[in-house]
Amino acid sequence: MFIMKKILCYGDSNTWGCSPVDSSRFDENTRWPMVMSSILGNDFLILEEGLNGRTVLNLSHDNFMLNGIEYIDSLIENHCPIDIFLLCLGLNDVFIFEEVTINEILNGIEKIIDIVNNHHNNKQGCNIPETVIMSPPMFNSNIEWAQFIELQINKLKELPAAYKRLSIEKNCRFFNTSAYVTGSAIDGSHLDAGSHILLGKKIAEFILGRLK
Protein backbone atom coordinates (compact mmCIF):
# COMPACT_ATOMS: atom_id res chain seq x y z
CA MET A 1 0.00 0.00 0.00
CA PHE A 2 1.33 3.42 -1.01
CA ILE A 3 1.84 5.81 1.92
CA MET A 4 2.51 9.46 1.19
CA LYS A 5 5.34 11.00 3.21
CA LYS A 6 4.39 14.07 5.25
CA ILE A 7 6.63 17.11 5.56
CA LEU A 8 5.77 19.68 8.21
CA CYS A 9 7.11 23.20 7.53
CA TYR A 10 7.08 25.04 10.85
CA GLY A 11 8.16 28.65 10.60
CA ASP A 12 7.49 32.36 10.56
CA SER A 13 6.48 34.88 7.88
CA ASN A 14 9.11 33.62 5.45
CA THR A 15 7.48 30.18 5.63
CA TRP A 16 3.98 31.66 5.45
CA GLY A 17 5.01 33.55 2.31
CA CYS A 18 4.81 37.22 3.31
CA SER A 19 5.59 39.58 0.44
CA PRO A 20 7.98 42.41 1.35
CA VAL A 21 6.10 44.65 -1.08
CA ASP A 22 2.71 44.80 0.64
CA SER A 23 2.66 42.01 3.29
CA SER A 24 0.22 39.97 1.20
CA ARG A 25 0.75 36.21 0.86
CA PHE A 26 2.57 34.86 -2.17
CA ASP A 27 0.58 32.35 -4.19
CA GLU A 28 1.21 28.60 -4.37
CA ASN A 29 3.45 29.00 -7.42
CA THR A 30 5.78 31.27 -5.48
CA ARG A 31 6.09 30.52 -1.75
CA TRP A 32 8.88 28.08 -1.06
CA PRO A 33 7.00 25.18 0.61
CA MET A 34 4.70 24.90 -2.40
CA VAL A 35 7.57 25.25 -4.89
CA MET A 36 9.24 22.43 -2.99
CA SER A 37 6.01 20.44 -3.18
CA SER A 38 5.76 20.83 -6.95
CA ILE A 39 9.27 19.40 -7.34
CA LEU A 40 8.88 16.55 -4.85
CA GLY A 41 5.64 15.43 -6.48
CA ASN A 42 2.84 13.19 -5.32
CA ASP A 43 5.00 11.09 -3.00
CA PHE A 44 4.95 13.92 -0.44
CA LEU A 45 2.27 15.86 1.42
CA ILE A 46 3.41 19.33 2.46
CA LEU A 47 1.94 20.81 5.64
CA GLU A 48 2.40 24.59 5.67
CA GLU A 49 2.53 25.91 9.23
CA GLY A 50 4.11 29.33 8.95
CA LEU A 51 2.85 32.39 10.83
CA ASN A 52 3.88 36.03 10.72
CA GLY A 53 5.74 37.01 13.88
CA ARG A 54 6.31 33.49 15.22
CA THR A 55 9.35 33.07 17.45
CA VAL A 56 11.24 30.04 18.70
CA LEU A 57 10.67 31.06 22.30
CA ASN A 58 7.40 31.71 24.11
CA LEU A 59 7.58 35.49 23.89
CA SER A 60 4.01 36.47 22.99
CA HIS A 61 1.49 36.99 25.79
CA ASP A 62 -1.46 37.63 23.46
CA ASN A 63 -1.29 34.86 20.87
CA PHE A 64 0.02 31.42 21.82
CA MET A 65 0.23 30.45 18.13
CA LEU A 66 3.17 32.84 17.84
CA ASN A 67 5.06 30.95 20.56
CA GLY A 68 7.18 28.32 18.85
CA ILE A 69 7.57 26.02 21.86
CA GLU A 70 4.05 26.40 23.19
CA TYR A 71 2.22 25.96 19.89
CA ILE A 72 4.14 22.97 18.54
CA ASP A 73 2.71 20.79 21.30
CA SER A 74 -0.86 21.08 20.02
CA LEU A 75 0.15 21.32 16.37
CA ILE A 76 2.11 18.09 16.27
CA GLU A 77 -0.72 16.25 18.02
CA ASN A 78 -2.92 17.07 15.01
CA HIS A 79 -0.35 16.12 12.38
CA CYS A 80 1.48 13.19 13.98
CA PRO A 81 2.97 11.11 12.48
CA ILE A 82 5.14 13.14 10.14
CA ASP A 83 8.19 11.94 8.23
CA ILE A 84 10.21 15.14 7.82
CA PHE A 85 10.15 18.19 10.09
CA LEU A 86 11.47 21.43 8.59
CA LEU A 87 12.09 23.85 11.45
CA CYS A 88 12.53 27.39 10.16
CA LEU A 89 12.53 29.82 13.08
CA GLY A 90 14.80 32.32 14.82
CA LEU A 91 14.60 35.54 12.82
CA ASN A 92 11.94 37.17 15.02
CA ASP A 93 13.69 36.16 18.24
CA VAL A 94 16.69 38.18 17.06
CA PHE A 95 14.92 41.27 15.72
CA ILE A 96 11.74 41.66 17.76
CA PHE A 97 13.25 40.72 21.13
CA GLU A 98 16.83 41.94 20.87
CA GLU A 99 17.75 40.91 24.42
CA VAL A 100 17.30 37.22 23.55
CA THR A 101 20.63 35.38 23.39
CA ILE A 102 21.87 32.80 20.90
CA ASN A 103 21.93 30.16 23.64
CA GLU A 104 18.31 30.88 24.56
CA ILE A 105 17.31 30.42 20.92
CA LEU A 106 19.25 27.17 20.70
CA ASN A 107 17.64 25.87 23.88
CA GLY A 108 14.24 26.72 22.40
CA ILE A 109 15.00 24.91 19.14
CA GLU A 110 16.06 21.88 21.16
CA LYS A 111 12.80 21.95 23.15
CA ILE A 112 10.73 22.08 19.95
CA ILE A 113 12.59 19.07 18.53
CA ASP A 114 12.15 17.15 21.77
CA ILE A 115 8.41 17.84 21.83
CA VAL A 116 8.01 16.55 18.28
CA ASN A 117 10.11 13.46 18.97
CA ASN A 118 8.31 12.67 22.23
CA HIS A 119 4.92 12.79 20.52
CA HIS A 120 6.14 10.20 18.04
CA ASN A 121 7.75 8.06 20.75
CA ASN A 122 4.46 7.97 22.63
CA LYS A 123 2.48 6.72 19.63
CA GLN A 124 2.73 3.06 18.82
CA GLY A 125 4.26 2.34 15.44
CA CYS A 126 5.49 5.90 14.87
CA ASN A 127 9.06 6.54 13.81
CA ILE A 128 10.81 9.72 14.92
CA PRO A 129 10.79 12.14 11.98
CA GLU A 130 13.90 13.38 10.24
CA THR A 131 14.34 16.95 11.47
CA VAL A 132 15.99 19.62 9.36
CA ILE A 133 17.03 22.77 11.22
CA MET A 134 16.92 25.62 8.72
CA SER A 135 18.80 28.79 9.58
CA PRO A 136 16.95 32.05 8.79
CA PRO A 137 17.97 34.00 5.68
CA MET A 138 20.52 36.72 6.26
CA PHE A 139 19.29 40.28 6.63
CA ASN A 140 19.94 42.45 3.57
CA SER A 141 22.55 44.87 4.89
CA ASN A 142 22.18 47.10 1.83
CA ILE A 143 19.08 48.59 3.42
CA GLU A 144 19.96 52.22 4.19
CA TRP A 145 18.99 51.96 7.88
CA ALA A 146 20.82 48.66 8.47
CA GLN A 147 23.50 50.47 10.48
CA PHE A 148 20.96 51.06 13.26
CA ILE A 149 20.39 47.34 13.82
CA GLU A 150 23.97 46.19 13.48
CA LEU A 151 23.88 44.23 16.75
CA GLN A 152 20.85 42.22 15.62
CA ILE A 153 22.36 41.59 12.18
CA ASN A 154 25.58 40.32 13.75
CA LYS A 155 23.59 38.02 16.03
CA LEU A 156 21.70 36.68 13.03
CA LYS A 157 25.02 35.96 11.31
CA GLU A 158 25.93 33.67 14.22
CA LEU A 159 22.86 31.47 13.82
CA PRO A 160 23.97 29.24 10.91
CA ALA A 161 27.06 27.98 12.73
CA ALA A 162 25.13 27.65 15.99
CA TYR A 163 22.29 25.75 14.30
CA LYS A 164 24.78 23.46 12.57
CA ARG A 165 26.38 22.58 15.91
CA LEU A 166 22.98 21.89 17.43
CA SER A 167 21.98 19.69 14.49
CA ILE A 168 24.99 17.49 15.16
CA GLU A 169 24.19 17.29 18.87
CA LYS A 170 20.54 16.40 18.19
CA ASN A 171 21.24 14.01 15.32
CA CYS A 172 19.35 16.26 12.91
CA ARG A 173 20.09 17.67 9.49
CA PHE A 174 21.12 21.27 8.89
CA PHE A 175 20.16 23.45 5.92
CA ASN A 176 21.93 26.79 5.54
CA THR A 177 19.23 28.98 4.02
CA SER A 178 21.55 31.97 3.86
CA ALA A 179 23.82 30.10 1.45
CA TYR A 180 21.16 30.62 -1.21
CA VAL A 181 18.90 33.55 -0.31
CA THR A 182 18.96 36.89 1.53
CA GLY A 183 16.19 39.18 2.72
CA SER A 184 14.79 41.52 0.11
CA ALA A 185 16.13 44.98 -0.72
CA ILE A 186 12.71 46.33 0.27
CA ASP A 187 12.59 45.54 3.99
CA GLY A 188 15.75 43.51 4.57
CA SER A 189 14.18 40.44 6.16
CA HIS A 190 11.36 39.06 3.98
CA LEU A 191 12.20 36.99 0.93
CA ASP A 192 11.13 38.30 -2.45
CA ALA A 193 9.38 36.12 -5.03
CA GLY A 194 12.58 35.02 -6.75
CA SER A 195 14.19 34.00 -3.47
CA HIS A 196 11.13 31.96 -2.48
CA ILE A 197 11.27 30.04 -5.74
CA LEU A 198 15.02 29.45 -5.45
CA LEU A 199 14.73 28.32 -1.83
CA GLY A 200 11.93 25.91 -2.72
CA LYS A 201 14.11 24.34 -5.41
CA LYS A 202 17.14 24.05 -3.14
CA ILE A 203 15.31 22.49 -0.19
CA ALA A 204 13.63 20.03 -2.59
CA GLU A 205 17.06 19.05 -3.90
CA PHE A 206 18.25 18.64 -0.33
CA ILE A 207 15.37 16.34 0.55
CA LEU A 208 15.65 14.24 -2.61
CA GLY A 209 19.41 13.97 -2.24
CA ARG A 210 19.66 13.20 1.48
CA LEU A 211 16.31 12.35 3.02
CA LYS A 212 14.19 10.45 0.51
Side-chain angles (χ1 to χ4, degrees), residues 45-73:
L45 172 65
I46 310 304
L47 306 170
E48 291 184 285
E49 289 292 351
L51 186 63
N52 298 341
R54 180 175 285 145
T55 53
V56 172
L57 302 169
N58 295 337
L59 300 173
S60 176
H61 301 296
D62 301 321
N63 185 350
F64 89 104
M65 293 177 68
L66 294 178
N67 295 327
I69 298 170
E70 184 179 6
Y71 186 60
I72 193 63
D73 200 37

Side-chain angles (χ1 to χ4, degrees), residues 69-89:
I69 298 170
E70 184 179 6
Y71 186 60
I72 193 63
D73 200 37
S74 58
L75 179 66
I76 198 62
E77 178 66 28
N78 294 329
H79 290 313
C80 188
I82 60 171
D83 299 284
I84 299 173
F85 180 42
L86 301 183
L87 179 50
C88 339
L89 289 171

